[in-house]
Amino acid sequence: MNDLSTFPITKKWPARHPDRIQLYSLPTPNGVKVSIMLEETGLAYEPHLVNFDTGDQMSPEFLSLNPNNKIPAILDPDGPDGKPLALFESGAILIYLAAKSGRLLPADTAGRYEALQWVMFQMGGIGPMFGQVGFFHKFAGKEYEDKRPRDRYVAEAKRLLGVLNEQLATRRWVVGDEYTIADIAIFPWVRNLVGFYGAGELVGIADFPHVTRALEAFVARPAVAKGLEIPKRA
């Protein structure tokens, strides 16, 4: 078994099970992508809470694993060639775990790239744009008298939901009948938009019935229900 004690992050978050994938995260849309993926694949892991309230993400130990000070990040003691692998960025982690487990990414080349394009769609569009809607609707931005910034991001969120709704009109899941990492990437953000951000009415979520249908199917999955609560907040 590889020794994880050589990684500085394990000084702040000791590995009780060093043979398992170490997950450093928060139950946010980006964070739960990885906990859901780990639950879906059955890969053994140990979660660690990175508490933003106390500045954990800016600690030297966390920055040693992710210099971009964002969650999630993982440390796999059994990475490629049997060597430990440290990895950050949720999209990259989803792709890595799909390859490691041999699950949730189509085996055929065309299907694989179709799924990956929708992961990139989430990373480049849905995540940043929905996050801005949250800032201007729920957080400090809601106090701005000028609503043009909010309306700009709301319009873009609606456009993205429209793209997704059209894709789902003839498919059970984003890529087709097969549930993939594309769904794991996208639906935590849709859930957050209408739930935690409370922006469902603002973006007209009722106008996107295929999105809401797929979201309901997503949250009904046992692995999703569990992953959404991992790691537990202090």
Side-chain angles (χ1 to χ4, degrees):
M1 181 173 61
N2 289 304
D3 182 11
L4 297 184
S5 66
T6 59
F7 290 85
I9 196 164
T10 63
K11 303 296 189 296
K12 188 174 179 66
W13 290 278
R16 292 175 299 163
H17 303 283
D19 57 325
R20 302 178 186 179
I21 294 171
Q22 304 295 301
L23 169 66
Y24 308 91
S25 191
L26 266 175
T28 66
N30 282 334
V32 299
K33 292 181 202 173
V34 177
S35 54
I36 289 169
M37 181 67 176
L38 288 164
E39 288 294 326
E40 291 280 11
T41 60
L43 291 167
Y45 72 102
E46 180 179 350
H48 303 277
L49 180 72
V50 180
N51 192 339
F52 280 25
D53 292 340
T54 56
D56 282 351
Q57 78 279 17
M58 300 303 298
S59 66
E61 294 87 354
F62 187 77
L63 292 172
S64 72
L65 190 65
N66 184 359
N68 195 36
N69 66 272
K70 305 292 183 182
I71 59 94
I74 65 168
L75 177 56
D76 184 0
D78 184 25
D81 301 319
K83 299 177 181 179
L85 175 70
L87 200 60
F88 64 89
E89 282 296 332
S90 58
I93 296 171
L94 286 179
I95 296 167
Y96 171 72
L97 295 176
K100 182 180 179 71
S101 65
R103 296 190 56 200
L104 301 175
L105 195 58
D108 65 291
T109 302
R112 179 173 183 270
Y113 282 107
E114 184 179 359
L116 291 178
Q117 76 180 352
W118 287 99
V119 173
M120 304 306 162
F121 171 79
Q122 181 276 306
M123 294 170 62
I126 280 181
M129 296 301 104
F130 288 12
Q132 292 291 349
V133 171
F135 173 78
F136 285 103
H137 182 63
K138 182 179 177 68
F139 298 110
K142 71 181 180 182
E143 305 301 331
Y144 297 178
E145 291 185 11
D146 186 349
K147 298 304 179 186
R148 286 175 295 179
R150 184 203 66 177
D151 293 346
R152 170 184 171 86
Y153 291 115
V154 168
E156 180 62 3
K158 288 181 177 180
R159 188 190 70 81
L160 292 167
L161 286 168
V163 173
L164 184 59
N165 195 66
E166 183 174 353
Q167 177 70 6
L168 288 164
T170 57
R171 298 166 178 83
R172 182 183 179 191
W173 297 106
V174 172
V175 177
D177 288 335
E178 184 178 352
Y179 174 78
T180 71
I181 60 172
D183 305 290
I184 295 174
I186 289 170
F187 287 112
W189 274 104
V190 178
R191 175 179 177 269
N192 211 62
L193 179 70
V194 301
F196 181 67
Y197 291 160
E201 184 175 347
L202 183 66
V203 300
I205 194 65
D207 296 331
F208 309 103
H210 304 299
V211 173
T212 56
R213 180 264 306 163
L215 175 61
E216 290 173 1
F218 177 73
V219 298
R221 295 178 67 88
V224 171
K226 188 172 181 180
L228 287 170
E229 303 297 327
I230 297 174
K232 290 286 186 184
R233 292 185 183 271

